[in-house]
Structures are given as structure tokens and as C-alpha cells.
Amino acid sequence: MPKLTVTAESFRLAEVFTISRGSRTEAKVITVRATEGEQRGWGECVPYARYGESLESVAAEIEGLPEDITRATLQEALSPGAARNAVDCALWDLEASKAGKRVWDLLGLPAPVPMITAYTLSLASPEEMEKSAAKHAHRPLLKIKLGTADDMGRLEAVRRGAPKSKIIVDANEGWSAEVYADLAPHLVRLGVQLVEQPLPAGQDDMLAEIERPLPVCADESCHDRKSLPDLKGKYDVINIKLDKTGGLTEALELRKAALAEGYDIMVGCMVGTSLAMAPATIVAQGARVVDLDGPLLLAEDRPEPLQFDAEGVHPPVRALWG
């Protein structure tokens, strides 16, 4: 049986990262290592205070697992969330190491190919966001963090700074129905491709009643397959994050179920390292939107990090994961 070890680590960000809920200067993560004889696997999660998680609580969940835990029994042993994600991904990595194969081979899937990823612009003043947009105007897809009652100027500023980039916006639950209804026509006018979680989870019924002139994506409102019934008529796209699904195992099941119900797929991330993004590159294949830019926001990363270039984010090398 694998032996699990848990480590809390932090990685400096290249610059302050701000969303509607606050700012951070480092990525605080939990790393899980699964060891069985000479074989090793590892995984990473990002505890998220929005879901009542901390480094301490997630570590305690993992350390409380039975010694004979397997990937199958893990799905019932822990709820969807960061703790289960790190263990699930570590066990997948260990399984691949033991089999001498890549994880996608174990899953019977084609080898992943590079996917264009969004690059996230932090919430700031319109002037700062315009400068940031101009700095990253070469990127094909920009994601803007918004979520205040005063976002119109920010939208205009980013479009001025990056006139050719495609844009998606993420309100992080920060708008009211009235603010979103006022902004929506301007989002369309400025060529925004998609809006992510405009209203708070649990207060998003209005999305079924108001016009949706551009695709609306569920993030905080969608965790795993059990979330899907509540999304009907309100959302067009779901954002799959491994820290919400509780790992690669459920993420792949959620993708399959959501596609069967007619949703488009976005694959996103918390602010973590290449180790956290690596399993998500498998889920991201064929997605409408890929947002796996966590490592691009860091000043330091794991050894053998993911490669990002004009083709997008590449799948991990074996030395990193999977």
C-alpha cells in the first residue's frame, strides 16, 4: 500500500494577484507524495478559503486517511475538494510509474496536445489594467478579473491595451443581477467571449430569467457531477477545476456528464505550480476555454515545469507528473 506524506509549501508570485475577494503575493500549496517501494507519485492542491479550506485543514484530512487507501476508495473517503485532489493525482502518478506508462495511456486516451491558455490580468485600477493588457497584448486570450460595481472603465481600458486579443471576464461572484444586466451589452460590444460566475453561487437563479447575450460559465456554482442539476437554464459552460472536483478521477467524469447534457467545457485552475496544472492538461483536451496559466503568474516553479509557448500549454514531461 502507498505511504502518503504531506508537505505545505509556498511559491512566490511574479507580482501581486488580486481578485474581488482579496490579494496574494504567494501561492500556498499542499504537496502529497505517494511512495510504494521504489515507485513514487505526487500531486498538488491549493486550499481555498472560499470553500472553508486551509493548509492545516487539508493536511489533517489527508493525514486522517486509512493506510490502505486506494484511488477507488478515496472517492468516498473524502469529499470533493483540495485534499482529495492532491491524493488522487498523486495516486494516478504512482500508478503510471508502477505501470511504466503515461496516465493518458492508463485512461485509454490519446496523448494530450498543446492547448492555448488564457492569461489572467489581476484586478487593479483601469490605468494599471490597461498597462498590463498592453504588456500581454501578444497573447491570444486574456482573462480579466472583475467583480466590482465600477468595472466598465476596466473593461474599456483592457480593450484599449489589447485590441486584438480575445477576452473572457471573471467576476468571481462579485456582481449583482442589476450590475450584470447593465454590463452585459457592453461585454458584447467589447468582444468579450464569455463571462464567468457573474452572480454569487446560490444566488444565481436570476440567470435563468434574464437575457444571456453571451455564454455564461459556472465556476463557484459547479464542483462535481452533483452540481449539474442546479445549473440547468442558468449556464452555458462549466469551469472544471481539479481542486473543486477533488481530483482527476472526478474531473473526467464531470466533463463526460456535462458534455452529455450539452454544456461547453472550460478547464481552470487555482494559483498553483506546474504540478497542479499537469493533470488538468488531460481534462483540457478539446475544451472551449483553457485557463491553466498558474505557472505563468509565479516567480518560481517546480523542476521540469510545464512548457508554455505560442502553441499554448504543453502536456507534462514524465519527470514532472503522469
Side-chain angles (χ1 to χ4, degrees):
M1 289 297 156
K3 178 179 179 353
L4 301 180
T5 57
V6 184
T7 313
E9 300 184 81
S10 65
F11 294 81
R12 288 180 298 110
L13 300 188
E15 52 191 56
V16 177
F17 185 76
T18 302
I19 67 172
S20 61
R21 278 191 287 274
S23 302
R24 72 188 73 176
T25 57
E26 58 186 356
K28 295 182 178 179
V29 310
I30 290 284
T31 307
V32 172
R33 290 172 173 81
T35 308
E36 195 169 324
E38 295 297 310
Q39 306 297 335
R40 287 177 171 76
W42 65 342
E44 176 186 313
C45 68
V46 183
Y48 203 42
R50 166 67 178 80
Y51 304 131
E53 297 172 337
S54 66
L55 292 171
E56 294 77 17
S57 71
V58 167
E61 280 190 83
I62 297 167
E63 287 163 351
L65 287 170
E67 288 186 8
D68 61 349
I69 196 74
T70 65
R71 199 166 46 75
T73 58
L74 174 69
Q75 307 309 309
E76 296 300 323
L78 290 179
S79 300
R84 195 175 81 184
N85 175 32
V87 179
D88 186 67
C89 292
L91 293 176
W92 271 114
D93 192 30
L94 177 63
E95 210 171 306
S97 179
K98 287 164 64 177
K101 296 181 176 181
R102 301 306 305 267
V103 166
W104 46 86
D105 294 326
L106 298 178
L107 287 162
L109 296 173
V113 298
M115 298 288 294
I116 293 294
T117 180
Y119 181 86
T120 303
L121 302 184
S122 186
L123 181 66
S125 70
E127 296 74 24
E128 289 173 292
M129 291 184 80
E130 183 172 350
K131 281 183 195 168
S132 185
K135 179 180 175 182
H136 296 284
H138 63 286
R139 299 186 187 276
L141 179 62
L142 295 177
K143 173 172 167 172
I144 318 173
K145 288 290 189 179
L146 297 176
T148 75
D150 187 30
D151 282 333
M152 195 61 237
R154 294 183 175 93
L155 277 166
E156 301 273 12
V158 169
R159 182 44 90 199
R160 283 195 303 273
K164 295 182 180 175
S165 300
K166 290 183 177 178
I167 291 175
I168 58 177
V169 302
D170 183 5
N172 282 117
E173 308 180 275
W175 290 333
S176 65
E178 294 73 25
V179 168
Y180 174 58
D182 287 344
L183 278 176
H186 298 289
L187 298 178
V188 174
R189 173 175 61 84
L190 292 168
V192 171
Q193 308 281 305
L194 171 145
V195 59
E196 205 180 331
Q197 198 69 42
L199 307 183
Q203 301 175 36
D204 54 2
D205 288 346
M206 278 294 294
L207 291 173
E209 300 172 25
I210 61 178
E211 189 179 351
R212 294 203 304 277
L214 73 166
V216 180
C217 177
D219 181 2
E220 286 88 348
S221 289
C222 182
H223 289 250
D224 61 358
R225 281 172 288 171
K226 292 175 184 171
S227 304
L228 290 177
D230 280 340
L231 307 181
K232 280 196 172 145
K234 297 189 279 191
Y235 294 96
D236 311 288
V237 185
I238 64 157
N239 187 346
I240 301 175
K241 292 178 180 173
L242 272 65
D243 276 315
K244 292 188 303 175
T245 65
L248 177 62
T249 302
E250 176 62 21
L252 291 169
E253 293 296 330
L254 173 58
R255 182 180 73 167
K256 191 194 318 181
L259 288 171
E261 293 193 22
Y263 294 100
D264 280 336
I265 302 298
M266 175 177 181
V267 176
C269 64
M270 308 303 186
V271 182
T273 76
S274 286
L275 176 59
M277 309 300 126
T281 62
I282 299 174
V283 189
Q285 298 301 298
R288 176 175 182 152
V289 177
V290 177
D291 179 26
L292 296 178
D293 63 343
L296 297 176
L297 307 176
L298 300 179
E300 52 190 354
D301 199 357
R302 304 282 185 179
E304 306 290 344
L306 290 178
Q307 178 188 347
F308 293 82
D309 60 22
E311 291 183 279
V313 54
H314 289 249
V317 297
R318 182 66 193 94
L320 174 63
W321 182 87

